[in-house]
Amino acid sequence: MSVDVRPLDTPGEPLRERFTRGLAAPICLTWELTYACNLACVHCLSSSGRRDPRELSAAEAMGVVDELSRLQVFYVNIGGGEPMLRPDFFDLVGYAVEHQVGVKFSTNGTRIDAARAEQLAGMDYVDIQISLDGAVASTNDAVRGDGSYVAARTAMDHLAAAGFGPFKISVVMTRHNIAELDALAELADGYGAQLRLTRLRPSGRGVDAWASLHPTAAQQRQLYHWLVERPGVLTGDSFFHLSALGEPLEGLNLCGAGRVVCLIDPVGDVYACPFVIHDEFLAGNVRDDGGFTSVWRDSDLFTELRQPQSVGACASCGSYDACQGGCMAAKFYTGLPLDGPDPECVFGHGEEALAGRLEGPGSAPHPGIGHSKVDRHGVPVPVPMPVRLRSATRG
């Protein structure tokens, strides 16, 4: 299967420069099937909880799969919410695989019992990421909720017993689990699983949790050196801002938003990346004329993102080529200019910019409660949701 590179491709051009200008189809994309979730993780990037009644129907979702198949998209990262709360989950995954679109899906594990583990083990071209944010229950449950550690470990036990193969354990790195890196690696090794670390972004409910959860500068350096010594640990290019510390980390080390990746949300809205669910980064909707293909290739937002970007305040930094100015979402939701330094710049420029930023209401965008269910104090709480899986139909 090949990726359709845009006609402006230049033979011999470095891969990163080619990707910066965008491809005619994304290599992969994130697709959040539902905002429904039975947990209330404090850092949830999509502020999930309640299902949105405008959610794409099974027929509409299958239509999107048809488009992705025609575009020769390698795979989709399915998430949510908790994607397994969609009653037609298995049918949609099966339909994607049948149409040569691979599926990687992230789950909290609460809906993986022995029978569903067997069903998943029997499916081809399906990869599973179990979310776990600590090597011990106390660390994980402080972020993901009471009982979530046991639920995730039970799901892993079921997958291992079913012979699923090397699933992934996906960890959002915080200042509370950096000290557990070795233990997390040992846990993954014990299951024959792959460890995948991702960066905490100030997105969704993470906007309010970021200040207390994001790793300290010293911890970021610790994480960088740990990753350099373990190139087999997956990161999904999450930590390219750390490459300014020296040897580049594995990956393209660039922001692929609107260039090689994007997000489709549960109601069909297409955003530049999963971490900027905000009107400023909304490119269109799969229900629009021309569908996803038109949004990807012709939207004003994606066209703009594929143009050369201003280096801005980072122009005088000799490490810009290594870190590319960092994460767009992290800058946006902390109120920093998009051509400014990453708030977690390893040289402290982000901290200086944050200190000089005007404080007060409106100084940084806030996503609101989103689809969170909140108690009378405004605190997000889990939404109890029994699930009944049924067959999807195209009608």
Side-chain angles (χ1 to χ4, degrees):
M1 186 181 296
S2 62
V3 177
D4 183 11
V5 179
R6 297 180 69 85
L8 44 77
D9 176 44
T10 303
E13 181 183 28
L15 194 59
R16 189 163 78 173
E17 279 68 26
R18 186 187 309 177
F19 284 179
T20 298
R21 292 186 295 105
L23 304 180
I27 294 176
C28 66
L29 57 86
T30 298
W31 187 355
E32 294 176 349
L33 287 184
T34 183
Y35 282 122
C37 192
N38 54 345
L39 298 185
C41 304
V42 300
H43 55 22
C44 178
L45 65 90
S46 58
S47 299
S48 287
R50 299 181 183 273
R51 176 184 175 274
D52 194 305
R54 302 169 297 158
E55 200 170 90
L56 294 177
S57 68
E60 289 175 314
M62 289 177 178
V64 172
V65 171
D66 291 339
E67 275 198 85
L68 300 181
S69 179
R70 289 193 295 270
L71 288 169
Q72 297 183 314
V73 172
F74 283 125
Y75 64 90
V76 291
N77 289 306
I78 287 179
E82 171 50 53
M84 293 188 73
L85 285 173
R86 272 196 69 135
D88 52 15
F89 170 78
F90 278 103
D91 296 282
L92 295 179
V93 171
Y95 188 83
V97 172
E98 289 169 7
H99 288 75
Q100 290 76 52
V101 178
V103 172
K104 297 185 179 185
F105 78 90
S106 297
T107 175
N108 58 36
T110 59
R111 290 301 188 261
I112 299 181
D113 56 16
R116 289 178 187 144
E118 292 281 355
Q119 188 173 358
L120 289 165
M123 302 179 78
D124 294 327
Y125 211 14
V126 173
D127 193 13
I128 301 175
Q129 295 183 165
I130 306 291
S131 297
L132 189 77
D133 290 340
V136 295
S138 57
T139 305
N140 175 85
D141 290 6
V143 174
R144 304 186 61 82
D146 291 344
S148 58
Y149 179 87
V150 170
R153 290 294 304 271
T154 300
M156 295 178 201
D157 292 340
H158 287 316
L159 289 172
F164 178 84
F167 57 86
K168 294 178 174 62
I169 299 176
S170 182
V171 184
V172 177
M173 298 312 302
T174 70
R175 68 181 57 178
H176 304 301
N177 62 19
I178 289 283
E180 298 175 5
L181 281 166
D182 288 340
L184 287 164
E186 184 178 347
L187 176 66
D189 289 344
Y191 281 106
Q194 287 185 291
L195 184 62
R196 184 179 188 272
L197 308 183
T198 63
R199 182 182 177 186
L200 173 72
R201 267 85 162 196
S203 307
R205 289 198 289 268
V207 167
D208 296 321
W210 189 77
S212 62
L213 286 183
H214 79 92
T216 65
Q219 287 177 324
Q220 299 229 39
R221 286 176 169 78
Q222 177 186 349
L223 173 61
Y224 167 77
H225 292 295
W226 193 88
L227 288 171
V228 167
E229 294 171 359
R230 295 165 180 80
V233 173
L234 306 176
T235 66
D237 238 7
S238 275
F239 302 102
F240 63 90
H241 69 297
L242 297 181
S243 290
L245 288 169
E247 179 184 345
L249 296 175
E250 293 287 314
L252 292 172
N253 283 305
L254 62 81
C255 173
R259 300 180 177 107
V260 295
V261 297
C262 67
L263 165 74
I264 301 175
D265 87 345
V267 302
D269 284 337
V270 182
Y271 293 91
C273 97
F275 302 102
V276 283
I277 302 177
H278 188 280
D279 286 348
E280 188 164 331
F281 298 95
L282 175 61
N285 189 285
V286 300
R287 289 167 168 149
D288 296 340
D289 290 343
F292 172 79
T293 303
S294 179
V295 175
W296 177 260
R297 293 183 174 176
D298 303 323
S299 71
D300 292 340
L301 173 66
F302 287 174
T303 298
E304 179 183 352
L305 288 173
R306 293 162 189 166
Q307 301 304 310
Q309 304 294 308
S310 168
V311 177
C314 297
S316 61
C317 181
S319 296
Y320 177 80
D321 285 344
C323 74
Q324 296 291 300
C327 174
M328 177 178 71
K331 289 186 271 192
F332 179 73
Y333 277 119
T334 53
L336 297 180
L338 298 187
D339 63 354
D342 188 290
E344 294 181 305
C345 168
V346 297
F347 300 119
H349 301 314
E351 292 179 4
E352 294 171 5
L354 287 172
R357 188 196 68 193
L358 293 176
E359 299 293 343
S363 61
H366 195 285
I369 66 170
H371 291 77
S372 305
K373 178 183 178 181
V374 297
D375 63 18
R376 61 190 180 90
H377 302 294
V379 177
V381 295
V383 181
M385 283 184 214
V387 66
R388 177 175 58 85
L389 297 176
R390 66 167 189 271
S391 295
T393 61
R394 301 213 62 178

